[in-house]
Amino acid sequence: MAAEFSPIGLLKDENEAQSPPLPATPSETITALVHYYRGEMGRMAGWRDRIDRTSNWAITVVAALLSVSLSTPASHHGVLLFAMLLITLLLFIEARRYRFFDVYRARVRRMERGYFAQMFAPQAPFKPNWAAPIADSLRRPAFLMSYREAVCRRLRRNYCWMYLILLLAWALKISSPVLQADGRGTRQVGSLSEVVANAALGPVSGWLVIVLVIVFYALMAYAALHKEPGEGELAHGEVHV
């Protein structure tokens, strides 16, 4: 009697044939671990490179708009305000990239702490379940930090200095007659009313512009000084991004 044909059994056999076998010996496991470590290092390095590119764009924007604004009296102080907006946009882009980078960095650091550090210099107590968080992350990838935390961290690392430079340049621009289109002489602005008048932006009064800049920088200062309760990978050592 001919054997009965089963599509389910055939599909199961095809899936089993296509699936690669798991490591069966310690040497195969180590080989697979090394290749996986290389892969995660490559992904982490790729996202790190994208983060550095965004920072380089931000530095280029600051340098270019500073030279445009301060090199000639004909340029308006609104160029520096526009630079602040561009830097903020780049900060948000970099924070998004940083969240992806943090996922792959966490995997790499867990392997380094749990396996390679113990291999080079064993210490007690040893945690044999160091790979469990990596397996959970591979089965269901998820961000390890919020978008707000990423923005605060990148602001604290790099962007706070760019904002400070732009603020000083803007204050110099609105307080120095030499840097105004109709400036005469080399004296500084002698009264607050002149500073407020120079800070005007078209139909927007100078007082409103100054208040908006103060509020904006107050938010940036709070974000730069604010730290989340959990530092994630930053809690393990001082070398971090």
Side-chain angles (χ1 to χ4, degrees):
M1 183 175 180
E4 183 179 357
F5 176 76
S6 175
I8 299 178
L10 180 60
L11 181 61
K12 182 178 179 181
D13 293 339
E14 289 180 354
N15 291 336
E16 291 179 353
Q18 293 175 358
S19 300
L22 295 175
T25 63
S27 61
E28 292 179 355
T29 302
I30 294 175
T31 301
L33 180 63
V34 169
H35 284 293
Y36 172 70
Y37 177 73
R38 285 181 175 178
E40 291 294 348
M41 281 290 295
R43 298 168 84 177
M44 184 186 72
W47 282 103
R48 172 60 191 272
D49 180 67
R50 298 184 71 179
I51 293 174
D52 291 340
R53 289 182 186 180
T54 313
S55 299
N56 292 337
W57 294 344
I59 295 173
T60 303
V61 167
V62 170
L65 295 186
L66 278 177
S67 63
V68 169
S69 178
L70 301 181
S71 61
T72 171
S75 61
H76 197 267
H77 72 90
V79 174
L80 296 173
L81 300 178
F82 180 66
M84 297 175 189
L85 293 179
L86 284 180
I87 294 302
T88 304
L89 175 61
L90 292 173
L91 172 61
F92 289 155
I93 295 175
E94 184 165 324
R96 176 184 175 275
R97 295 179 175 183
Y98 186 77
R99 296 180 74 196
F100 284 95
F101 165 79
D102 184 64
V103 173
Y104 304 121
R105 175 182 61 181
R107 295 176 183 174
V108 170
R109 291 291 296 120
R110 286 193 178 102
M111 283 189 289
E112 291 175 346
R113 289 197 310 272
Y115 183 79
F116 292 105
Q118 287 295 122
M119 180 181 67
F120 292 136
Q123 292 182 357
F126 174 66
K127 298 180 179 180
N129 62 339
W130 60 267
I134 300 178
D136 294 338
S137 178
L138 291 174
R139 290 189 177 96
R140 184 173 295 180
F143 291 116
L144 304 179
M145 68 171 63
S146 63
Y147 193 84
R148 183 183 66 176
E149 184 180 357
V151 170
C152 294
R153 191 171 293 181
R154 297 316 298 162
L155 177 63
R156 190 163 54 247
R157 295 286 180 270
N158 292 336
Y159 284 78
C160 62
W161 306 111
M162 302 183 203
Y163 281 117
L164 180 60
I165 291 173
L166 289 175
L167 177 62
L168 294 177
W170 180 74
L172 177 64
K173 181 71 176 180
I174 65 175
S175 63
S176 177
V178 178
L179 297 177
Q180 300 296 323
D182 57 349
R184 293 185 178 88
T186 58
R187 68 176 182 83
Q188 297 296 315
V189 173
S191 64
L192 180 61
S193 60
E194 295 182 38
V195 175
V196 174
N198 292 335
L201 192 62
V204 183
S205 66
W207 277 117
L208 181 58
V209 174
I210 293 175
V211 169
L212 291 177
V213 170
I214 292 175
V215 171
F216 176 78
Y217 272 85
L219 292 175
M220 291 295 106
Y222 172 77
L225 298 176
H226 178 70
K227 290 186 178 182
E228 297 290 336
E231 286 293 334
E233 285 301 313
L234 302 188
H236 303 279
E238 299 178 353
V239 180
H240 50 74
V241 180

